[in-house]
């Protein structure tokens, strides 16, 4: 199979570097375009990240000499690649992502800039792969030759998949969630070490709203030109920054809408949970998207964040909630599943979305939500 | 005023050391008795804690040469002091605390051994100082010449005082709380550093049950021979151990039973909250037991745990909860207010409990709960 | 005594805040002037630091409403205060500090901008208080109405005082030092938490050179118009940034030039060490500038950094060095003695430098170096 | 090739678990025997480590049901395996290791119990593979049917390999080393988190002596019945425990004995360094045992400890030392190369030691030391 040309916007940042790591040996994709801000543009990638390459893995040799384009050379990008991973900040994304989509690229974004846009789906492949249809509609709605799809906030990933496995069987009415989020979620340099050592910051700007609203769009109903958000469950999410390098942990208490499931049923749903990435055998898909640990002190960030190459969500401690029905702890790797890994999985899903198997794999998704 | 002789059980441990720090210059108390386990008994205190004194403050000179008694010399203790602070573990407390109470000492305990005993009150001076009457009844109920009173779990302190200030005005129906607890709460050596560095352990044995039940006893009704626990609020508490040295943080969402208060009313209640320790001007009482910070990223353990010598609780971020009524963040110092500081405050309260002002200071407490 | 008016340049930063803490109740000084960068100028201090006040202590009420001047209003400053503490960065210091000195102020600086200037002394009061004479000469040499004196790099403080106590008795030939420096030494936001959590950065730009050269100027000989640096000891300093909030630790191996001292002699020199701040009883002077701990695992940052209000240096583990003569561990608080505390002590020293007692207190300093 | 049966003593501890991880898919070895202390003996391995499995990787399924033997069933072990990896503590090793060696097993130990034994070699395969001959002599010297070889202290690995690469070309006279050691070096539970969070402990019992003496034995001359330690270089090693999970960092200053090498020569020696594990292509051998990073802020534990599966040593910052000749920073993974990985590499080396290629690979080692 001929490889598909892909590019990375914001290639020199922490998430950009992780895209390189996940794409460098990818069976379907070939990195053919890198872009970054003015300071880096015009340099080789090796020069641009000198002293700023933050990954344990060495910078791949064949990437070192790649030319770093300026972000404003949109037409150039459209000649050099088909899919563009966007790892730029929200302000920059606001301006530039539509221009790349207009120029014919499929933009897969980590930024929050267009998560509220009616015509742009927020995709978690196991939950709402069918929302990808909206990307086709963007040609008409937006006048784009290409398209734009986004992934949710990295924190959402920690609790949404385990709740979804339950919700599609027995609807959930409401949930109160407290997150303990790793510093890598704030990028680099991000959180100051004086705020982080021996300390908790019980506030992350804008995060709690996103954590409550994005799930409802993901669980929403696809209409002709937009997604109508789900009404349930109602979320209250408390967000905290804690002294952890990687891995967002959430404590969740939830209440069913009508029918209640018992502990064994929920654990069974988690153990057997699968979605389109698994049935389509996407290269980045975790074999088990949900892992339930029976030990009473798991999940723990250091021990569980790298499960399935950082693409699985690990849960533990499902137990009765004295106030609601059940409560549990859940963890996902915020820069793997929650950022570059999730982006690559979305790209793989998009590639397969024109094929017949995709229809089959996603036909029941809408019903299950 | 002649000083009152006090002793410390478990004097060589971390909490025992903190008792020494808080008692060494105390205006009312004089340390006249120290006891510890067999390994330390018979030594001078200086020898017993050699290489194990964990406080920044130097070991006070006049304590260095104090004789460390064996815990089994109960009669000795009853000759040497009147009040005994117990900083021993639960198993040891189970065996020894009643013997000291029987021998005539007033035992003020940090252990959880007797928190469920019908005849033993759990005291937070600002909330249920009137429950001290039960200590008098122990003579008859238990056949003790002295008495036993206990402080609650250190985590409870972080959320109970701010909830109480609200609850006494407008009853609370239920609350979901997630705690992020410092490692010092587990004593020394306590948590292994491999469990703590770059990690969260989402489980503390027995803690969640205590966190849900102790508040109801503290808010309970004093009957002739026991305390009838309150029925409300219902608590669901998720407990986590996080990489913080000192200071327990809690995220709280709560719902009123009937009448609702608005944001300004709650903040006003917090700002003006006072209890018997303040009206009686107890030496260890914080001037302001509750401090509300208006910054959107407070409280933080490093910045707020030492407020009022570690005896105040600091809250922030009172905001609407999409699921319940309100939510907020709250922090208290687990080894100050939550351990030795709370113990000394209880002792001061007990000393005043035979005086007339005490009746006045506590007469409305029962009504307010 | 009428208080002396003092001001703070860079008053809103982390070190500026610590100056406020140390000056607010100072027996000699009265804060009458605050200046900061353009973003803060024109605001009240309370507004300027909103959300950025990083100290556990509450912002003093009487400072909240103080007007924050722009740094370029030099003449204003000279009307409002006599002594100016400079807590600004090196680049800004390079430009502005001479202008304030020219306008008549005594500038006491934390910045490294003028540490290499021949006419500007680097003062550690216990070592080279007599170098203050050079400040008088600046009138002629620089044409200033006021003057400028600086404190050394914060790391230098951890090893220079204990070495000085030895060196003045038996000259030291050379020393190899490895530092483990706290993140607060880099200011705020300073070190990124991703560089700091579970990590060491074995490099701090420019630090190793300063650590080797500044001691020689401090130990230098005061000539008419400049200080001739000492020739010995030769230093090799390895600097590391470690995940510690406050407190710089150094491991030191050193070799005598000629005469050797034994372990008891060195410890005795440390225990009895005093300098002009002690004999002049300066308000910020630690009673014991050097504290030797006999426990084999001390000093430790959390336990020892706050000794004597953060103004003492704590040493431990003096033992034979298989390669040189002796080796030991030493610790000082980088933002107390190493920054604002050291600055205030320098100001106190300067105030007393015109008095007779000062002559007496410093007369033997030059000989002892 | 038929796999060789191997066993693990202390199989349930942290190092024991890492042996399992490194042996489970090993091309030469097959785990056929596990032993642990009385508490675990008689259980299945899965039961024995329940709640204590500390690795991110899941416990391998085929190990779960393995029987855990009691350590005192020595004869049993000799029937079930040929090579025995010992991951027990020093006291236990003192008693049991000789018994297993006597019973015919080749014991490869991480403990320090026999590092000073004249007849027991300390092996770093790249440096002194030829010392393995001494194991053959143990039959006669000790009356053992099997043999015993040990690896050095985990810290030694961080600085010895880079110094050896230099020393074999131009002898080194002396070195002053300061280590910053990870908490995993102390095992589990090991260091208390209160000693580790926001803290440094500048002392590790016994460590500094081992760090100075073990290199001399490794560099020693093999005589008929013992190893005569080298006389040079003389080491002074300062050991510190720092808040790092994995990876020991060392700052090294060293002086040549006679001939001096320049910076380029040293870096070239490091880049081209190889030893028997590389020429024999042992399965666990790093391709590059020494990696030199040119960035000025490397090596860093989080970024470099996992190089070459944790088996390489990473150096950086080679620069002139004002006191000695050169100084640099070096890092190795203490539980990989420094523990289980190093043990497995030693076993691989031993297996090959009876073959002809081994003679060739090691013939020049003695000369080069």
């Amino acid at each position: 199979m001929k490889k598909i040309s892909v590019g990375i916007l914001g290639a020199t940042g922490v998430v950009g570097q992780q895209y390189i790591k996940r794409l460098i040996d990818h069976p379907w994709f070939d990195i053919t375009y890198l872009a970054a801000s003015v300071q880096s543009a015009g340099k080789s990638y090796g020069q641009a990240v000198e002293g700023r390459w933050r990954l344990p893995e060495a910078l791949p040799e064949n990437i070192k000499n790649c030319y770093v384009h300026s972000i404003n050379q949109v037409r150039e990008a459209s000649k050099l690649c088909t899919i563009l991973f966007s790892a730029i900040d929200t302000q920059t994304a606001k301006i530039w992502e539509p221009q790349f989509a207009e120029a014919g690229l499929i933009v897969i974004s980590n930024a929050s800039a267009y998560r509220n846009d009616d015509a742009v789906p927020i995709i978690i492949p196991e939950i709402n792969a069918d929302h990808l249809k909206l990307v086709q509609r963007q040609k008409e709605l937006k006048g784009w030759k290409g398209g734009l799809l986004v992934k949710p906030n990295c924190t959402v990933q920690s609790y949404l998949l385990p709740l979804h496995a339950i919700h599609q069987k027995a609807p959930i009415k409401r949930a109160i969630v407290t997150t303990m989020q790793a510093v890598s979620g704030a990028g680099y340099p991000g959180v100051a070490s004086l705020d982080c050592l021996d300390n908790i910051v019980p506030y992350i700007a804008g995060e709690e709203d996103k954590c409550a609203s994005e799930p409802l769009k993901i669980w929403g109903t696809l209409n002709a030109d937009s997604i109508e958000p789900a009404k349930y469950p109602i979320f209250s999410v408390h967000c905290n920054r804690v002294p952890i390098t990687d891995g967002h942990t959430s404590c969740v208490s939830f209440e069913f809408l009508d029918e209640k499931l018992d502990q064994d049923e929920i654990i069974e749903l988690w153990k057997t949970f699968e979605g389109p990435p698994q049935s389509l055998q996407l290269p980045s898909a975790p074999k088990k998207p949900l892992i339930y640990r029976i030990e009473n002190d798991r999940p723990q960030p250091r021990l569980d964040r790298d499960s399935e190459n950082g693409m699985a969500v690990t849960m533990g401690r499902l137990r009765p909630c004295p106030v609601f029905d059940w409560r549990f702890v859940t963890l996902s790797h915020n820069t793997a599943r929650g950022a570059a890994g999730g982006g690559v999985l979305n790209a793989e899903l998009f590639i397969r979305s024109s094929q017949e198997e995709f229809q089959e794999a996603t036909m029941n998704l809408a019903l299950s939500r």
Side-chain angles (χ1 to χ4, degrees), chain A residues 8 37 46 61 238 330 337 343 352:
Chain A
I8 305 168
S37 62
E61 281 302 317
H238 301 242
T330 179
R337 166 61 86 152
R352 299 291 299 272

Side-chain angles (χ1 to χ4, degrees), chain A residues 307-326:
Chain A
S307 299
E308 296 255 9
N309 200 20
M311 294 297 285
V313 177
T314 305
M315 294 86 58
R317 301 201 71 215
L318 182 71
R319 62 207 191 281
C321 177
V323 166
F324 284 164
D325 287 313
W326 293 100

Side-chain angles (χ1 to χ4, degrees), chain A residues 31-341:
Chain A
I31 303 174
T32 56
Y33 174 82
L34 300 173
S37 62
V38 199
Q39 296 96 302
S40 300
K43 296 182 185 169
S44 72
Y45 188 79
Q47 290 174 310
V49 296
E50 203 182 314
R52 294 167 53 209
W53 180 257
R54 310 306 307 165
L55 300 184
E57 297 84 1
L59 172 56
E61 281 302 317
N62 56 342
I63 291 293
K64 264 189 195 157
N65 297 318
C66 283
Y67 181 81
V68 179
H69 293 260
S70 169
I71 198 170
N72 59 15
Q73 297 168 312
V74 175
R75 193 175 306 180
E76 200 70 13
S78 71
K79 287 180 196 158
L80 291 171
C81 63
T82 306
I83 288 178
L84 189 62
F85 296 99
S86 169
I88 54 184
D89 67 85
T90 297
Q91 308 298 349
T92 317
K94 196 88 197 165
I95 299 166
W96 290 101
E97 288 180 354
Q99 304 195 30
F100 286 96
E102 193 182 359
L105 288 149
I106 297 299
V107 179
I108 293 176
S109 175
N110 283 32
S112 64
Y114 290 95
R115 289 192 202 141
N116 290 329
D117 188 305
D118 271 357
V120 176
I122 306 177
I123 302 290
I124 293 186
E126 285 87 348
I127 302 181
N128 65 338
D130 55 317
H131 285 187
L132 278 184
K133 281 174 205 145
L134 195 57
V135 177
Q136 310 303 333
R137 291 284 301 140
Q138 290 170 355
K139 290 193 173 61
E140 205 162 312
L141 294 166
K142 298 279 194 178
W144 293 342
K145 283 191 242 166
L148 172 61
L149 61 130
V150 302
K151 63 146 219 57
N153 185 287
C154 54
T155 317
V156 168
Q157 313 253 14
S158 68
Y159 54 85
L160 200 57
L161 269 177
L163 286 177
H164 175 68
I166 300 165
H167 188 59
Q168 61 178 8
K169 183 82 180 180
I172 292 168
K173 184 182 172 192
R174 50 190 187 166
I176 291 182
V177 178
T178 297
T179 72
M180 294 174 282
Q181 302 182 222
V183 295
S184 60
Y188 183 84
V191 181
S193 49
L194 277 175
D195 288 336
C196 155
L197 278 181
D198 192 16
N199 203 28
I200 293 167
V201 180
Y203 175 71
I204 302 172
E207 195 87 348
E208 295 183 344
D209 286 345
K210 293 178 204 164
C211 284
S213 64
E214 292 180 11
L216 299 178
K217 182 167 179 181
I218 294 167
W219 271 328
T221 305
L222 183 65
N223 292 337
D225 296 348
S226 69
I227 291 153
E228 192 185 315
K231 294 217 167 51
Y232 287 104
I234 297 163
F235 280 99
S236 170
V237 186
H238 301 242
C239 293
N240 299 283
R241 188 72 72 193
V242 295
I244 301 292
T245 57
D246 293 306
H248 288 352
T249 304
S250 297
C251 292
V252 182
S253 275
F254 72 90
E255 187 178 41
F256 286 110
L257 189 57
D258 303 305
E259 187 206 352
K260 293 178 192 306
L261 301 179
D262 68 23
Q263 195 179 29
D264 290 345
E265 287 170 317
I266 293 170
I267 291 174
E268 186 61 21
L269 285 173
W270 283 346
K271 285 191 172 168
T272 57
F273 179 74
E274 283 199 355
Q278 286 73 39
S279 57
L280 294 169
Q281 299 187 329
L282 300 180
S284 299
K287 283 208 185 69
K288 295 265 171 212
L290 297 179
I291 296 173
Y292 185 73
R293 305 281 317 205
I294 56 163
E295 298 93 333
N296 61 12
D297 61 353
R298 301 288 279 267
Q300 294 179 19
R302 278 222 306 133
L303 299 180
D304 296 306
R305 62 191 168 204
D306 291 321
S307 299
E308 296 255 9
N309 200 20
M311 294 297 285
V313 177
T314 305
M315 294 86 58
R317 301 201 71 215
L318 182 71
R319 62 207 191 281
C321 177
V323 166
F324 284 164
D325 287 313
W326 293 100
R327 47 185 179 164
F328 63 97
V329 183
T330 179
L331 167 83
S332 78
H333 194 304
N334 56 300
T335 68
R337 166 61 86 152

